[in-house]
Amino acid sequence: MKRTLLLLASLAALTGCKIEDAEYFDPTRNGYHMFLQANACLADAAADAARLIQFNEYYSAPEEEREHIHNRWFYASRIVDSGDNEWRIIDCNSELVIRTDGRPLCEDGTVWRYAYAGRDYAENIWPTIACRKSGLDTFYGLELPGQARLSFTAAFYDRPQENGMTRYWCELRIEGSGLCSEHRDGYGAGKIGCEIVEPLKYLSDRPRSFDAGKLNLTIRTDNKTYEAEAEYGAPYSVSISYGQYKNDYWY
């Protein structure tokens, strides 16, 4: 709600701007605020999706290989089998609960439900991730309680480093649309309509950022609809188009 109030205040300030205050005038600031909320929602969803894809590597592996996979993807986490097809990935500041229905995520038709422990929302609105096979290709669908529906493909990469270590990461290519809530659980009045018009590229080792992609954003308030376009550039940079204006930001 706070983000929504700030956005409305910013819109009001924009309409009352005077010519003599032009040195403080940022005509794309409202579009940037819309982007920040959408980006936070999408980046959280992408980080969760990458985590789930990585966990499937552990979950679907033979017992003798799990320690190796744990050390690759979850060396700072504790993985707990809670029974009844429920697993937990426990970190110092969060606990991700995953309900697998007893099937690896990489099997066609599998649907996993997931949530963070301590979040006060009903189980029937837990986000879901589902698998769909098409020939040799594997696609995943993500449904969020804020009514956003995303589809993506995933690829794993590794690269030797100069110090002899190997860098591992997961890359997602994301499409979709829906409402991006200001809260991870989907509650809250402030929701930004978001359409991915050019696929997003997400790297699991670069949180809260996309390396490529373009968004169309909308918000409706006081019977008016405001629109913006956001195009990702270099890491943590974005170009915002709002009305007839365009500007670049770091975020």
Side-chain angles (χ1 to χ4, degrees), residues 14-228:
L14 177 59
T15 58
C17 185
K18 300 178 181 179
I19 294 177
E20 60 266 31
D21 296 327
E23 62 269 31
Y24 303 109
F25 179 51
D26 183 353
T28 58
R29 174 63 59 176
N30 299 317
Y32 179 58
H33 286 311
M34 294 165 65
F35 161 77
L36 288 177
Q37 180 169 318
N39 180 74
C41 174
L42 292 170
D44 282 343
D48 291 344
R51 199 73 164 154
L52 293 163
I53 292 292
Q54 292 163 347
F55 174 70
N56 180 67
E57 294 290 297
Y58 176 92
Y59 180 82
S60 59
E63 188 67 36
E64 61 271 16
E65 296 181 14
R66 283 185 169 178
E67 182 178 358
H68 173 72
I69 296 173
H70 177 276
N71 292 338
R72 173 181 293 185
W73 300 113
F74 302 100
Y75 57 89
S77 308
R78 185 160 60 96
I79 297 177
V80 177
D81 180 357
S82 302
D84 295 326
N85 299 318
E86 180 177 286
W87 293 73
R88 294 170 181 262
I89 302 176
I90 303 172
D91 297 296
C92 59
N93 296 317
S94 67
E95 184 173 333
L96 179 60
V97 182
I98 306 169
R99 295 187 175 166
T100 66
D101 198 30
R103 300 178 60 188
L105 185 59
C106 51
E107 290 185 2
D108 188 36
T110 295
V111 179
W112 284 4
R113 304 168 68 82
Y114 68 95
Y116 285 85
R119 298 291 170 85
D120 184 21
Y121 54 94
E123 183 178 342
N124 64 350
I125 64 167
W126 280 27
T128 63
I129 184 171
C131 175
R132 177 174 61 85
K133 299 281 190 178
S134 179
L136 298 177
D137 297 322
T138 300
F139 300 89
Y140 298 93
L142 203 67
E143 293 197 15
L144 307 177
Q147 302 178 27
R149 289 176 171 82
L150 307 175
S151 61
F152 63 93
T153 57
F156 292 93
Y157 297 97
D158 60 82
R159 181 178 301 160
Q161 304 295 294
E162 293 182 359
N163 59 6
M165 303 292 289
T166 301
R167 174 187 170 218
Y168 299 97
W169 74 96
C170 175
E171 178 181 307
L172 307 182
R173 183 181 184 274
I174 305 172
E175 300 177 283
S177 62
L179 296 176
C180 287
S181 171
E182 61 184 333
H183 301 293
R184 291 172 70 111
D185 58 17
Y187 293 118
K191 292 183 179 180
I192 301 292
C194 177
E195 178 186 10
I196 300 173
V197 294
E198 291 183 8
L200 304 178
K201 179 181 177 182
Y202 177 83
L203 304 182
S204 60
D205 63 343
R206 190 175 291 153
R208 308 198 70 78
S209 171
F210 296 96
D211 277 18
K214 184 184 291 187
L215 309 174
N216 282 345
L217 306 172
T218 59
I219 188 171
R220 185 168 178 79
T221 181
D222 295 334
N223 296 318
K224 294 182 180 180
T225 299
Y226 300 90
E227 300 179 350

